[in-house]
């Protein structure tokens, strides 16, 4: 665990340095000579985007390091998973359609689980974010069914897929299948580690089935509260 911790610190420093260096570089270019108000505006807007990215990165890192050092307090209450999935689905529908991807929600069976609403929202958000990021054409389908005391959420996309030999590694921190393909989409390789941590914290599991250039299905299984 000590080795894991120091690796984590080294990776973290590296991941923080990259956007910081880029931001400094952009600010220096902006300052290197007098510019038009439009150029300043454009430069600052770009910097704001980078700040947001850095902020998300720091939030993700804070969550993971808290999870490492002490049990994170979850606000557990009975909640209708189908309604939560529907709400998140509505949000992502807009994003998918903007990208020209068909987005289908349902069927959603009525299921109640004991869960932390914010964390479960984050879990679904991370999976849907990826489905949109790594799908350039086709469709995304979000479903929920109840089988033998287990709630099963499926997030299925027709995106670029994940090679077989990489499938058990994608849940590792900072792991990206192909650094170039996710760097340009702003990925830092923490989304799935967080998703897995949240599933485990709910006594659930998360699995992936995927075929390169065909698509991926992420499956979340959570115990139901009221069978
Ligand atoms: P990232 O921030 O890079 O997206 P994640 O932890 O969310 O980090 O995902 C890890 C890697 O798994 C990604 O870099 C990507 O290569 C791969 N991946 C995750 N979801 C999908 C998906 N739906 N389709 C294809 N590849 C995916």
């Amino acid at each position: 665990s000590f080795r894991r911790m120091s690796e984590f610190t080294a990776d973290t420093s590296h991941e923080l340095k990259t956007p910081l260096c880029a931001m400094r570089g952009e600010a220096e270019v902006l300052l290197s000579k007098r510019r038009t108000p439009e150029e300043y505006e454009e430069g600052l807007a770009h910097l704001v985007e980078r700040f947001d990215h850095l902020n998300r990165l720091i939030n993700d890192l804070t969550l993971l390091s808290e999870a490492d050092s002490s049990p994170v307090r979850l606000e557990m209450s009975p909640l209708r998973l189908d309604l939560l999935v529907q709400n998140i689905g509505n949000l992502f529908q807009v994003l998918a359609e903007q990208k020209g991807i068909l987005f289908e929600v349902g069927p959603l069976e009525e299921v109640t689980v004991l869960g932390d609403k914010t964390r479960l929202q984050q879990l679904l958000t991370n999976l849907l974010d990826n489905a949109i990021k790594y799908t350039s054409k086709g469709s995304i389908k979000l479903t929920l069914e109840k089988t033998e005391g287990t709630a099963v959420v499926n997030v299925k996309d027709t995106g670029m897929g994940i090679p077989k030999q990489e499938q058990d590694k994608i849940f590792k921190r900072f792991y990206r299948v192909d650094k170039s393909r996710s760097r340009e989409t702003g990925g830092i390789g923490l989304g799935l580690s967080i998703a897995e941590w949240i599933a485990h914290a709910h006594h659930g599991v998360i699995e992936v089935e995927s075929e390169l250039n065909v698509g991926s299905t992420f499956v979340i299984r959570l115990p139901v509260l009221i069978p």
Side-chain angles (χ1 to χ4, degrees), residues 70-225:
S70 58
V72 174
R73 257 180 57 82
L74 295 175
E75 306 279 333
M76 296 298 228
S77 63
L79 55 97
R80 282 272 302 274
L81 191 59
D82 51 314
L83 300 181
L84 190 128
V85 171
Q86 180 72 61
N87 283 337
I88 306 261
N90 293 344
L91 289 178
F92 276 89
Q93 181 119 39
V94 182
L95 293 174
E97 277 163 10
Q98 276 169 359
K99 220 186 143 182
I101 304 166
L102 185 72
F103 193 92
E104 278 178 82
V105 184
L108 303 178
E109 253 184 86
E110 186 180 323
V111 182
T112 302
V113 297
L114 188 64
D116 181 316
K117 189 172 176 193
T118 313
R119 301 291 186 208
L120 288 179
Q121 275 168 339
Q122 188 176 6
L123 165 54
L124 287 166
T125 300
N126 290 3
L127 295 187
L128 287 168
D129 237 1
N130 282 345
I132 292 187
K133 257 194 314 198
Y134 301 112
T135 303
S136 53
K137 61 176 191 307
S139 63
I140 296 170
K141 196 167 160 62
L142 180 60
T143 58
L144 168 63
E145 57 176 355
K146 188 159 80 170
T147 49
E148 293 163 12
T150 308
V152 186
V153 182
N154 272 282
V155 181
K156 183 175 167 47
D157 68 55
T158 60
M160 58 174 64
I162 304 158
K164 285 273 173 289
Q165 69 275 17
E166 311 269 357
Q167 287 173 16
D168 54 342
K169 301 189 198 133
I170 53 173
F171 294 96
K172 292 203 174 99
R173 291 173 190 185
F174 297 114
Y175 192 83
R176 290 175 283 224
V177 170
D178 169 357
K179 300 214 173 191
S180 61
R181 78 165 161 175
S182 79
R183 167 107 344 122
E184 67 193 39
T185 48
I188 42 180
L190 290 178
L192 287 178
S193 343
I194 291 176
E196 186 180 53
W197 172 76
I198 295 172
H200 289 172
H202 284 80
H203 308 290
V205 291
I206 177 167
E207 293 153 5
V208 61
E209 279 164 36
S210 181
E211 200 177 324
L212 202 58
N213 302 322
V214 175
S216 311
T217 304
F218 283 83
V219 184
I220 311 163
R221 295 177 206 279
L222 301 174
V224 303
L225 181 63

